[in-house]
Amino acid sequence: MVYRPEIDGLRAVAVLPVILFHAGLSTFSGGYVGVDVFFVISGFLITSILIQDLQEGRFSIIRFYERRARRILPALFFVMLCCLPFAYAWMPPDKLADFGKSIVAVCLFVSNILFWRQENYFAATAEEKPLLHTWSLAVEEQYYLLFPLVLFVLWRFGRNPVFYCVMALAVLSLLLNEWALRNPDITNTARFYLAPTRAWELLAGSICAFLVTGGPRRANDALALLGLAAIVIPVFAFDKTTPFPSLYTLFPVVGTALIILYAGSSTLVGRLLSTRGFVGIGLISYSAYLWHQPLFAFARLRSLTDPGLALMMSMGVLSLGLAWLSWRFVEQPFRAGRNALLADRRSLFSACLAFSVAFMALGGVMVVRDGLPGRLSADALAHLRPADPRGAFMQACQLQEGRPIPPHPLQMCSGFMADGAADVMIVGDSHAGALAYPLLQALQEAGLSGYSTAYPGCIGLPGFRRLDDPRYDCDSYMTSMLEYAERSGTGTIVIVSRLPLYFHETSFDNGEGGHEKGGPFLIDRLDAAGQAGLPDSRAQRVLDGYAAEILALAERFNVVLVRPIPVAGWDVPAYLAKREMFGGGMSPLSTDAAAFRAWAAPVTEVLDRLDSPGLRQVDSTSPFCDPAPGGRCLNERDGVALYSDDDHLSQAGAEMLVPKVMEQILSFQSAP
């Protein structure tokens, strides 16, 4: 196979946006498309080698897997080995147990399946997974487990029939992805991680291999430039809200194919990509890809607050330096050839098996031993694993997206009702779920019955829908709760919801290194036909909708509206545990009250104007925040976290707010 320096240059175009995206550089909001470029390149190069072997009659599946092992495993195992001491020293038990699972999954090349089962690739918590990026290696290896065998079996029918079969498989995979995109029963996470909906990208590279090896290539400046633009523009134009993979993915995939097919050495793109800088980064791109995610993840794990851009960029530069070292001293010595380390095939496979078994044993210990909690002090563990009596109730009484709204009342949530009825009903999102259990206990002590189910990620008002995720049936949730309240004779509705998070297009930033991980969860108000309006008027429509729906509910029920609960911005228990582990000051943890008030202001200004005999409002900031200029909002009290993460109240925090809510509920009970 003829060496093409522009392909190595194209690897640089793929890896650099991925690194900058994971570093948190907002300009490169679509940098994740670099992985799709890698998929196409991989499909092209591997299929080219397979076609050449088949044409020359020297195809060997064992030799193929040997080449893959030499290419992939030495650098991968080296990076995993380097991760172990930092994981042991810096990871809390739950994350170390997850890390152990990922080690096992990487060795079995099923990490994409593991991460599919765990969380969204774009979730903020995923940024702290050192081996998250290995999902793409798993997709490739699953593809190459079957593709060479399929190619070998079909080759007897001739080159052209095989080519058309490959094209048909690519189309089927793309159609499968589009079907899954429109099927509410299949999550976006499944489509993102799993091989069946990604195979068409690798097959696009395979199609290029057939075209290139089928005759002389034709250089074309215009098509090569178009291909480069199709890769580069999405790097800046796409973001986490872009449906992916989808037809949008055709941009980087087709762009890569155009460069492979038409960026000859005589073209501008070919000459650009063949320059020393692009080729140099391309040569080390695999190692750079391996190194960048662990460096970023451990920087986040070690920092008390979100690491600054300067630190993350320095980690990005370090990943390139480490990439050169591992390319030079790990990748190169193990490459195929007489002078390669472990040149004998048997010794290579034996060494790979031994390392895999050792890694899986270590990972298994981390999982079985529950993340080795004995590494941490008792105080650090107390912050990470606080006793929480709400646990079982919250788990049973929080609905999940994508599942039908169950009929009320739910048996597990009915323990505070009396004769099948509830004087007070608590509705809302996960903030309602965090407050519900201690509030129901207080109601019971006051001689009142209560009922609550929460729907995390759904505003606690009817007439709205989530724009960013159609799996959330928010309007149906509120409609069902209110219908049940009327049927059962409920007099008072308590609404607890993160109203600013649904209004804003960014989550809360406390200005001190803490940025809320959840959201934003964009919503819009539905009209009479169940449709949302034009995007440019969404903000005002949402604010007007808040006011209208709250006042409408106050005509049907006594309404206690819990105003926006202060958000910490950083994971409070994790922050306190890290402070125990790494040091960093012992003053009570708090945030700037003005920062939260400014963020919530568009919503609170609307709430301030609401007036109805059937409405009471609870000032949620008063138990936590000093109202004076320069005041602070407490995140802990007497060493106890008031939050269970960066925004949800802990049991201790909820108990501080419950008396304020009870005061307003009881004011209705005593009213004439």
Side-chain angles (χ1 to χ4, degrees), residues 484-615:
Y484 177 63
E486 288 183 328
R487 290 198 310 270
S488 59
T490 297
T492 300
I493 299 290
V494 179
I495 301 173
V496 191
S497 193
R498 287 192 279 181
L499 297 180
L501 187 67
Y502 303 98
F503 166 76
H504 284 293
E505 297 188 5
T506 57
S507 8
F508 175 64
D509 185 341
N510 66 19
E512 299 172 346
H515 194 281
E516 185 181 8
K517 303 301 183 187
F521 301 144
L522 289 182
I523 64 167
D524 202 350
R525 192 181 183 194
L526 300 174
D527 61 20
Q531 301 296 317
L534 296 174
D536 58 358
S537 57
R538 184 194 73 87
Q540 189 59 50
R541 191 163 53 245
V542 166
L543 292 177
D544 291 344
Y546 286 173
E549 296 297 342
I550 291 168
L551 292 176
L553 284 176
E555 294 292 326
R556 299 166 59 188
F557 305 94
N558 295 326
V559 174
V560 175
L561 175 65
V562 179
R563 291 165 68 101
I565 295 170
V567 178
W570 40 48
D571 188 325
V572 176
Y575 188 109
L576 296 176
K578 286 182 182 180
R579 200 166 65 179
E580 292 287 344
M581 295 166 63
F582 311 134
M586 297 304 294
S587 58
L589 185 60
S590 63
T591 51
D592 181 14
F596 175 74
R597 289 194 174 101
W599 184 69
V603 172
T604 56
E605 287 170 3
V606 170
L607 302 183
D608 287 341
R609 296 193 294 268
L610 299 184
D611 185 26
S612 170
L615 175 65

Side-chain angles (χ1 to χ4, degrees), residues 88 150 184 203-204 216 233 250 268 286 407 436 450 555 557 604 611 643 657:
Y88 182 86
V150 172
L203 288 165
I233 291 173
L250 285 169
L268 176 63
Y286 173 59
E555 294 292 326
F557 305 94
T604 56
D611 185 26
Y643 293 81
L657 182 57

